[in-house]
Amino acid sequence: KEFVEAGADSITVHVEACSDIGETITVMKQYPVKRALSVNPGTDVNVLMPYLDQIDMVLVMGVEPGFGGQKFIVESLEKIRKVRGMIEKSGQAIDLEVDGGIYQENVEEVLKAGANVIVAGSAVFGGNPGENTRVMMERLKQYE
């Protein structure tokens, strides 16, 4: 409720932080927000299956949450592919976001694996943010 009152129109919850994911989604449904579930690298993505018809987005973490600048965990690509397959099989219009370790060098791999929303912190703000953004956008536009 506090996030909605502060102006949030989308809320992402880490499944690892919930004792009852279903109840959390039920509460979120009371508000006009997009609902998303996030999974950390060590979490089996099958935990998402019962909720695909109730959410708008899945966030696959490419690193362990905590701090910026980490290296992308390559095994996350298989998770992204699996979640993309789950989404397609569900027939739901669900975005697939990836956060953590996304750089110009690997963004295309992440997009090819099935992501359609990308979070890039260090890749943009490290060095020249303007140039980094321009290059990243060139790569992203190939997948629109």
Side-chain angles (χ1 to χ4, degrees):
K1 179 180 175 184
E2 292 82 6
F3 289 107
V4 175
E5 289 173 350
D9 61 1
S10 177
I11 297 177
T12 303
V13 177
H14 283 261
V15 298
E16 301 84 3
C18 293
S19 58
D20 187 339
I21 299 167
E23 178 60 27
T24 301
I25 291 173
T26 298
V27 171
M28 292 169 71
K29 286 180 178 180
Q30 298 173 26
Y31 303 98
V33 295
K34 290 187 176 182
R35 298 176 298 277
L37 292 177
S38 175
V39 291
N40 288 340
T43 301
D44 186 337
V45 296
N46 287 320
V47 70
L48 301 167
M49 287 296 291
Y51 310 106
L52 291 179
D53 63 342
Q54 302 174 64
I55 59 175
D56 302 292
M57 185 168 66
V58 171
L59 167 58
V60 173
M61 294 298 299
V63 299
E64 289 294 339
F67 61 92
Q70 296 181 63
K71 185 177 180 196
F72 182 78
I73 298 170
V74 178
E75 291 79 12
S76 299
L77 290 170
E78 186 53 40
K79 283 189 152 188
I80 296 164
R81 286 184 200 97
K82 186 170 183 177
V83 172
R84 174 51 63 200
M86 291 165 54
I87 290 169
E88 289 176 6
K89 190 173 183 178
S90 78
Q92 303 293 316
I94 300 171
D95 285 319
L96 176 47
E97 179 179 21
V98 178
D99 182 7
I102 305 296
Y103 289 91
Q104 295 169 6
E105 299 78 22
N106 66 356
V107 69
E108 290 181 53
E109 257 187 311
V110 171
L111 293 166
K112 285 178 184 174
N116 68 315
V117 178
I118 300 295
V119 177
S122 299
V124 171
F125 295 106
N128 182 333
E131 178 62 14
N132 293 342
T133 301
R134 184 190 67 72
V135 172
M136 188 68 82
M137 290 306 297
E138 284 178 7
R139 297 197 177 167
L140 293 174
K141 285 180 183 180
Q142 297 174 37
Y143 292 87
E144 288 183 326

